[in-house]
Amino acid sequence: MTAFAARNFKEIVRDPLTLLFGAGLPVVLILFISLLQRSLPGGTNAAFEIGSFAPAMAVFSFSFVALFSGLLVAGDRKSAFLMRLFASPLTARDFIFGYVLPVLPIALAQAVICFVFAAFMGLKVTGWLLFALLLLIPTALMYTFFGLLFGSLLSDKQLGGVFSIFVNVTTWFSGTWFDTGLIGGAFKTICNLLPFSHAVEMARAAAAGDPAGIFPHLWWVLGYAVAAGAAAVLAFRAKMKA
Amino acid sequence: MNSPAIEVRGLTKRYGARAAVDGLSLTVEDGELFALLGLNGAGKTTTIKMLCGLTEPTDGAALVYGQSVQDGGAEERRMVNLSPQESAFAGKLTVRENLELMARVYGADRAAARDLASDLMSRLSLTDRAGDQARKLSGGLQRRLSIAMALITEPRLVFLDEPTLGLDIRARRELWNTLRELKGKMTIVLTTHYLEEAEALADRIGIMHDGALTALGTADELKALSRTDNIEDAFLALTGADEMEVER
C-alpha cells in the first residue's frame, strides 16, 4: 500500500495544476480580498476580514484536493494501469487508503500556505491556528472522498464540468463570500443542509480560538465525510468488479 | 506431480446473449510458452481477464497452479502478472519508478525492487531512459516498459496480451530473445496477431474463433491438421472451419 500511495502522491504533485490551483488561487484571492478590504473605508463585509477569510480560503483550497483525487482515479480508470493493479495482490482497502493518504498532506500544506500568507496580510498568529489545522483534517477527508466518488463514477472528461459546478456550489453555499444569513430563507436552509458552510464556520471558530463554536459544525462535517467515504468505497468496489 | 500452470474446464463468459468465451477447456503446463491466436473479438483478452481474476466467468472453472482463480488471495496473485493489450503504466512516474512500484506492490522491499528494476532495464534496453517520465516515451518504449512491469515481479505465470504490438522490428526481435531466455523459467501465455511470432516462440498454439478453441497443437501439428505448409494458411483454414483439435 505504501508504494501505491507514494505513486499517487507523485502523480499529483508532478502536475503543475496542483500548485496553480491548490495553493496559488487561494493565495491570490487572499491578497486580492485583503487589499480590497483595506482600500474601502470601513471594509467591505465581515466575511472578508482576514480572520474570517483565511480559514474560508483554506477550506476553499480543498475543492481542488477533490479535483486532484477525482482526476487521479478517473485517469487510472481510463488507462490499463488500473487493470494491471486490479490483477495484483492489492486489496480494495489498499486502493482506498492508497488514494486517500497521499492527498491529506497536500491538503494540509495548502491550508498552511493559506495561513502563512494570510499572516503577512494581517492574520493574528496564535496557537489556535494549529487547532484549526487539526480540525481541517476531517474537512480535507470529506473533500477527498467527494473526489474519489466523482472519480469512480465519472470519466475524466465529465469530471471537468462536474467539478466546475462542485467548486461553485462549495463556495457560494459556504458563506466564504458573504454571510448566508444575509439572503436567508431557502438559501440559508440549503446552506445548513450542505456541509460546506459548516466546514467554513468550524475553521473560522477554531482559528479564532472559540472551541465551543466548532459545534455542531464538526458533526455535520464528520457525518458527510463518513457518508461520502462510504459512497466512494461502494462506487470504487463496483468499478473494480465491473 | 506438479499442478499444471493453467487448467480450464468449460470456461464461459456471456455478455447478454453473446458468448465472448464459450466453453473453453485447456491445459497449459508449467514452464510452457503458450500462444493464443485469434481474430479481433475471438475472446483472447476476455480469457486472459478471467484467468487473472479480473472478470468473473459466467460458467466453468479456471485453476492456476491448482488454485481456483476466483478464490485466490494475495499469495496466488503474487504468482501471476500480466501485460495488458494497451500499455499500462503510471504516466508521471519515471521508467525506474514504474518498475520499482510494481516490484513493491508484489512484495519486494525497497532495495530488492531497485536491483530488480536495474536488471530488467538492462535486459530490455531501458537503462538510458530510466529517469524519463513514462508518458514522454515513444509508443515502442512504453510498450517495452509495460512488458517489463509484468516481468519484474518474476511471476510463475505471465500473460502477455499482444506484447509486440507497436514495436519496431528490432525491438520485437529483442523481446523475442528475452522471451526465449525466460522459456522454462516461467509459464508464458501470449496473445498475438503476428503468426510468425507464435510459430517462432510458442511450444503450443491455441486458435480461438468466436469465443471457442477451434484448434490446439504445435505449429507443425496445426499445419498438418489444416493440410497447409505455413502457419498463416493454417490459421485461416482453422478459423474458418469447425472445431479441429490435436490432442497433445
Side-chain angles (χ1 to χ4, degrees), chain B residues 143 147 160-165 167 175 179 190-192 197:
Chain B
R143 194 90 202 125
I147 293 160
L160 304 176
D161 199 358
E162 305 283 356
T164 56
L165 195 69
L167 292 186
L175 183 66
L179 294 180
L190 70 91
T191 72
T192 180
E197 184 166 287

Side-chain angles (χ1 to χ4, degrees), chain A residues 142 145-146 192-195 198 219-229:
Chain A
M142 177 184 75
F145 283 134
F146 275 125
N192 283 335
L193 290 174
L194 292 173
H198 295 290
W219 308 131
W220 280 92
V221 171
L222 285 175
Y224 265 96
V226 169

Side-chain angles (χ1 to χ4, degrees), chain A residues 7-8 11-12 15 18 62-78 82 99-100 102-103 140-160 162-163 166 232 236, chain B residues 92:
Chain A
R7 171 264 168 175
N8 292 334
E11 287 273 345
I12 293 172
D15 190 336
T18 308
F62 294 165
S63 302
F64 299 104
V65 164
L67 175 64
F68 305 148
S69 55
L71 282 174
L72 184 63
V73 176
D76 282 351
R77 277 181 45 227
K78 183 182 166 190
L82 204 55
Y99 279 123
V100 172
V103 180
L141 265 177
M142 177 184 75
Y143 276 86
T144 304
F145 283 134
F146 275 125
L148 292 185
L149 177 62
F150 293 144
S152 298
L153 295 175
L154 304 170
S155 71
D156 57 343
K157 283 183 182 156
Q158 293 168 322
L159 216 53
V162 169
F163 263 102
F166 180 74
F236 189 78
Chain B
K92 294 194 191 81

